[in-house]
Amino acid sequence: KDSTSNMLRIEQLAASGASVFNGCDYLNLYGLMAGAVGCFWGGANAMPKEAVQLYELYQAGRHAEVLTLWRRMQPLNRLLWTLPFNPVAKAAANLSGRSVGECRRPVPPLTAEQMAAVRAAMAPLLILMVWMGTFTQTFLPPITKSSAALLEQTKVNVDFQVKRQTSSQELANAR
């Protein structure tokens, strides 16, 4: 397991024949691309099915789908390495419906500002989880004006991506 966030090191270890597992959440996709055979991933506590899907899509060579999924995962992956790791991982898992509670003392709980950052980082994932049917809570929080706007923007983005992909496919077929 290499958690140094040093991609050159992962490449060198993989080139030497070592079975390297990347342990830096925000570099997991890049670790796979550099030759890592797998990942240790705190963020997978909040998005286990998505983490498996990312790995399977990568192994299948479906790179466009990998990038789309990775972009939704990346806000949380980065946050895990900028705020206290364990409280963020637990808060994100709790938000995704996997009740794990808070960290025990002496680890302090997240501040209100930090928790707001976790919620913002989880927003693209929660929408994806609901769409995929992997969201585990039996209820959703009430829709507010701001969350309705976020949902509408996500719908617009998905519509645009689907149309853009179709147009690119049509263009490729025309050549």
Side-chain angles (χ1 to χ4, degrees):
K1 175 187 173 193
D2 186 287
S3 298
T4 63
S5 72
N6 183 338
M7 294 308 302
L8 180 59
R9 179 176 162 80
I10 291 173
E11 287 178 350
Q12 291 170 336
L13 289 169
S16 75
S19 293
V20 182
F21 286 80
N22 182 53
C24 180
D25 294 63
Y26 67 92
L27 293 176
N28 277 332
L29 176 58
Y30 311 115
L32 292 171
M33 293 164 59
V37 297
C39 306
F40 283 88
W41 200 344
N45 290 293
M47 48 187 170
K49 291 180 182 177
E50 294 76 14
V52 170
Q53 182 183 27
L54 184 87
Y55 179 80
E56 289 174 347
L57 288 170
Y58 179 78
Q59 292 299 317
R62 295 166 58 185
H63 298 144
E65 293 170 82
V66 167
L67 287 174
T68 298
L69 180 56
W70 182 247
R71 287 182 184 123
R72 289 184 179 267
M73 301 167 99
Q74 203 49 337
L76 177 61
N77 291 329
R78 284 191 204 107
L79 197 62
L80 282 158
W81 285 71
T82 55
L83 292 179
F85 187 92
N86 288 335
V88 170
K90 285 188 163 225
N94 288 330
L95 284 173
S96 70
R98 293 163 186 84
S99 183
V100 297
E102 292 184 2
C103 290
R104 296 181 303 212
R105 296 212 179 271
V107 176
L110 296 174
T111 66
E113 184 178 295
Q114 291 171 329
M115 193 61 206
V118 174
R119 283 189 190 96
M122 286 294 294
L125 284 167
L126 294 175
I127 293 165
L128 178 65
M129 289 172 183
V130 169
W131 182 73
M132 289 174 57
T134 61
F135 188 71
T136 61
Q137 289 187 345
T138 57
F139 66 94
L140 292 173
I143 300 293
T144 63
K145 286 183 181 181
S146 61
S147 59
L150 178 65
L151 287 168
E152 187 58 33
Q153 182 58 46
T154 301
K155 180 180 176 244
V156 170
N157 289 346
V158 169
D159 288 345
F160 176 74
Q161 289 173 357
V162 169
K163 288 176 186 169
R164 195 172 103 212
Q165 288 173 356
T166 302
S167 297
S168 299
Q169 289 170 352
E170 289 172 357
L171 184 60
N173 289 339
R175 291 183 185 166

